[in-house]
Amino acid sequence: MRLNQKELDMATVRFRWPMTLATAAAISLAISGCTVGPDYHEPHPATPEAWASPTTLPSNVPSTQASVPSTQPVASVQWWTNFNDPMLTRLVNQSVVTNLDVKQAEARIRQARAASGVASADLWPNIDSSASYSRSKSSGFDNSLNRNQPSNSLYRAGFDASWEIDVFGGTRRNVEAANADITAAIEDRRDVLVSLTAEVATSYLDLRSAQQRILIAKKNIALQRHNIDVTQKRFDAGFVSGLDVANAQAQLASTTSQIPPLEAAVRQSIYSLSVLLGQQPGTLVDELSSDASIPTTPPAVPIGLPSELLRRRPDIRRSEAQLHAATARVGSAVSDLYPKFSLTGSLGTESGKAKGLGNWDNRFWSVGPSVSWPIFDAGRIRSNVAVQNAVQEQAVLAYSKSVLTALQDVEFALTAYAKEQQHCEALTQTVIAYRRALDLATRLYNNGQTDFLNVIAAQGSLYGAEDSLVQSDRTVAANLVALYKALGGGWEEMSH
């Protein structure tokens, strides 16, 4: 079978076009193995073998009344459940779903993934369709036709393709950096979760502490009102002077003045919790206004070893991903020093009439490679390489600092947690002693063996000690929350 000239031409174009692209693709794959710039290597910073802070209790603290940090592997992910407080657990779990900072972090992940798609698109050819119409007229007189030159119309439609072959890996470095940015965004969300869970727990502890301090104040107010009644009767009977009555009234007024600031603290804590849950400030007022005790700490706190911190802390992992991205961008900048190889082509039809666009005889096509290499740019490219090198150096230092900061956070929290437990135990003994002193002073006063100032002093000391003990209970729990946060806990089960 023989083909006519038209069929031969069509077959030739159809054959050459895909074969040319295939050949170019094969060549690009063969020569694109070269990737300039530094390769990223996972950092391995030195960490201490053990924690400097004590992980066992001192001998003067009863082990049955204190929570003991241990170097056992960190087992609990949702650490807030260790406080055995259903309300705290519900608030934290809800905040993870509804908090606005978490939602912003999730949006940043989507942004990073979309940016990675933009970078990856540069690895593929660009194909554009185009259509145009133009009308032109030449100047002058056509002597052969004895008239002016006629006007001409031109219809044109087709496809244009261009493909920059990633010979030296600049585009691949950009894709590598974009993927590292995704990892950094994911770790950023996890870090937001770590901070959020700790903040919710701390605000909840502030709430319960203020409520307990109000209860203690009200208990002392009731006792002081009783003292006023007793001293008033003794004054009426002529057993004491009016000074005892005045002192009793002053003590009551002083204690009563403590209530409004504590009630304000209760409301403020509720407002903070509401906003952390992504709700209006007053949403949780009815639910949280009822008094409840401060959550108790667990008997043991597994903290693991310092080396495990590098994998648990999302802020360290985020710094590592940022270092990876900065390293890849150095390679992208270096690739600009090398030539750029591109393959361009076009295919379409053109005619003086619109209906002629469908006639294959009016086809046109072109295909060919091109190369560009900057000769003079006043040092722009090399300056950009220097910029990216400096950024990468900053990322190295930022990573090192994040490791040191994480180790410091844990050491701070361990020390504060252990020492506050000793403080709390001492306050417990103080409250016991002041209760005995108040009982003795009251009996002596009723028997006329001492003056009322000793009773007032004993009551004031007991009230101050009880109030300090509640605050210390809150601080112990808050220091444990800080320890969990420093360990990077509270994100694994919720990071999807």
Side-chain angles (χ1 to χ4, degrees):
M1 182 182 68
R2 298 188 62 181
L3 300 176
N4 58 37
Q5 188 61 40
K6 178 178 179 180
E7 292 171 331
L8 283 172
D9 291 342
M10 293 178 62
T12 300
V13 171
R14 291 171 183 171
F15 174 76
R16 289 177 180 172
W17 180 262
M19 285 302 295
T20 304
L21 290 178
T23 302
I27 294 173
S28 68
L29 290 175
I31 65 176
S32 63
C34 175
T35 304
V36 298
D39 292 327
Y40 174 73
H41 299 285
E42 182 179 330
H44 296 283
T47 56
E49 295 182 359
W51 300 106
S53 301
T55 53
T56 56
L57 289 173
S59 58
N60 63 334
V61 178
S63 60
T64 57
Q65 299 183 20
S67 177
V68 184
S70 70
T71 55
Q72 295 297 317
V74 180
S76 178
V77 174
Q78 296 186 347
W79 51 261
W80 50 90
T81 60
N82 294 335
F83 288 97
N84 294 317
D85 190 309
M87 178 59 72
L88 173 60
T89 299
R90 190 187 74 77
L91 291 173
V92 173
N93 290 340
Q94 183 177 348
S95 70
V96 169
V97 178
T98 59
N99 180 262
L100 299 182
D101 290 333
V102 174
K103 292 182 180 297
Q104 290 182 59
E106 291 169 348
R108 288 193 290 271
I109 294 176
R110 294 192 293 271
Q111 176 186 349
R113 286 173 174 161
S116 176
V118 173
S120 300
D122 290 337
L123 291 170
W124 298 90
N126 291 323
I127 301 177
D128 302 315
S129 62
S130 62
S132 64
Y133 165 76
S134 63
R135 186 171 181 82
S136 61
K137 180 180 182 301
S138 300
S139 63
F141 185 82
D142 189 342
N143 293 322
S144 62
L145 299 177
N146 195 28
R147 64 176 182 177
N148 291 326
Q149 294 281 4
S151 58
N152 299 306
S153 296
L154 179 63
Y155 295 86
R156 188 182 180 99
F159 297 91
D160 298 309
S162 63
W163 189 5
E164 182 178 317
I165 304 171
D166 191 29
V167 177
F168 296 101
T171 302
R172 278 169 286 153
R173 289 300 192 192
N174 285 331
V175 173
E176 181 183 353
N179 290 334
D181 287 339
I182 295 176
T183 302
I186 292 174
E187 297 302 337
D188 178 68
R189 174 184 177 272
R190 292 169 174 171
D191 191 45
V192 170
L193 288 172
V194 170
S195 298
L196 171 65
T197 54
E199 191 171 356
V200 171
T202 301
S203 295
Y204 184 78
L205 293 174
D206 291 341
L207 167 66
R208 297 313 186 195
S209 173
Q211 289 175 337
Q212 290 300 307
R213 293 178 66 189
I214 289 174
L215 291 178
I216 291 175
K218 288 181 177 180
K219 182 185 70 174
N220 278 270
I221 286 174
L223 178 61
Q224 290 161 9
R225 283 174 176 166
H226 173 72
N227 289 338
I228 291 176
D229 292 338
V230 171
T231 54
Q232 184 66 48
K233 291 177 181 179
R234 292 174 65 84
F235 171 73
D236 293 340
F239 295 129
V240 299
S241 66
L243 180 61
D244 287 353
V245 177
N247 284 330
Q249 291 173 339
Q251 185 186 43
L252 173 62
S254 176
T255 304
T256 303
S257 69
Q258 306 298 317
I259 298 293
L262 293 175
E263 291 176 338
V266 167
R267 279 300 183 108
Q268 290 168 354
S269 296
I270 294 176
Y271 297 157
S272 296
L273 286 168
S274 299
V275 173
L276 288 172
L277 268 62
Q279 301 174 357
Q280 295 183 2
T283 304
L284 299 176
V285 169
D286 293 337
E287 187 174 4
L288 296 178
S289 292
S290 300
D291 300 329
S293 60
I294 299 173
T296 57
T297 56
V301 184
I303 61 174
L305 297 173
S307 58
E308 299 173 1
L309 198 63
L310 303 182
R311 294 294 91 197
R312 286 191 54 80
R313 288 267 298 220
D315 58 333
I316 296 179
R317 295 154 64 102
R318 178 182 59 202
S319 293
E320 182 180 341
Q322 290 170 342
L323 172 58
H324 188 173
T327 303
R329 289 191 171 96
V330 172
S332 176
V334 171
S335 70
D336 290 336
L337 293 169
Y338 295 86
K340 305 289 186 183
F341 296 92
S342 300
L343 180 66
T344 60
S346 61
L347 173 66
T349 60
E350 60 182 7
S351 174
K353 297 181 179 180
K355 62 180 181 181
L357 293 177
N359 188 346
W360 189 243
D361 290 334
N362 296 327
R363 69 189 176 279
F364 67 88
W365 64 270
S366 67
V367 63
S370 64
V371 60
S372 64
W373 195 347
I375 297 176
F376 176 76
D377 63 358
R380 181 188 61 81
I381 295 177
R382 293 189 180 277
S383 294
N384 186 46
V385 173
V387 168
Q388 299 305 323
N389 277 323
V391 172
Q392 196 256 5
E393 182 182 358
Q394 295 174 56
V396 171
L397 296 173
Y399 175 79
S400 299
K401 182 180 179 181
S402 69
V403 173
L404 293 178
T405 300
L407 294 171
Q408 174 186 270
D409 289 346
V410 176
E411 297 288 9
F412 277 9
L414 281 172
T415 299
Y417 185 51
K419 295 303 179 182
E420 189 59 38
Q421 287 188 88
Q422 297 178 45
H423 181 217
C424 187
E425 175 61 23
L427 285 173
T428 300
Q429 299 302 319
T430 301
V431 169
I432 294 174
Y434 276 134
R435 283 174 180 166
R436 290 198 301 265
L438 176 60
D439 180 66
L440 179 60
T442 301
R443 284 190 284 110
L444 290 175
Y445 176 73
N446 291 335
N447 294 331
Q449 295 177 296
T450 187
D451 57 39
F452 190 64
L453 289 177
N454 288 328
V455 176
I456 291 179
Q459 287 181 345
S461 297
L462 176 59
Y463 170 57
E466 289 177 335
D467 187 72
S468 296
L469 180 58
V470 169
Q471 295 182 64
S472 182
D473 285 338
R474 177 262 172 205
T475 303
V476 168
N479 287 343
L480 179 56
V481 171
L483 178 57
Y484 281 127
K485 179 183 179 182
L487 293 171
W491 58 262
E492 294 93 335
E493 292 293 336
M494 298 165 291
S495 55
H496 301 294

